[in-house]
Amino acid sequence: MGIIWELIKLLGETPSPKDKEKERKEKEFNELADYLGMTEDEKEDCKLSGITPEEWAEENDPDYEDD
């Protein structure tokens, strides 16, 4: 019974592909937001608005220049 329980625990701890994709997108979002110098409040505002950090910077940062 111990081996079966260990296998069940191991399978339960493995992130699904959907979870991995969500984590990747979150990491990408945070890296871009950090690069643009956004504060935590600005990041949260951006997420709630459903826009990318680049779109947020275009609308809110007068020094932002799109390359």
Side-chain angles (χ1 to χ4, degrees):
M1 191 67 174
I3 295 173
I4 293 173
W5 180 250
E6 290 301 317
L7 287 172
I8 291 171
K9 282 185 5 183
L10 180 64
L11 291 174
E13 294 173 2
T14 305
S16 70
K18 188 176 182 178
D19 291 337
K20 287 181 183 180
E21 180 66 15
K22 184 177 178 181
E23 288 175 16
R24 185 191 63 77
K25 286 183 179 182
E26 183 73 21
K27 181 180 177 188
E28 191 175 274
F29 176 91
N30 285 324
E31 286 175 353
L32 182 56
D34 289 342
Y35 175 76
L36 294 172
M38 295 173 68
T39 66
E40 291 301 318
D41 289 336
E42 292 169 339
K43 289 179 191 179
E44 190 63 32
D45 184 42
C46 184
K47 288 178 186 177
L48 292 173
S49 299
I51 59 176
T52 67
E54 290 171 322
E55 292 169 328
W56 187 93
E58 288 173 1
E59 293 177 8
N60 298 290
D61 187 358
D63 296 330
Y64 178 76
E65 293 179 16
D66 192 16
D67 291 337

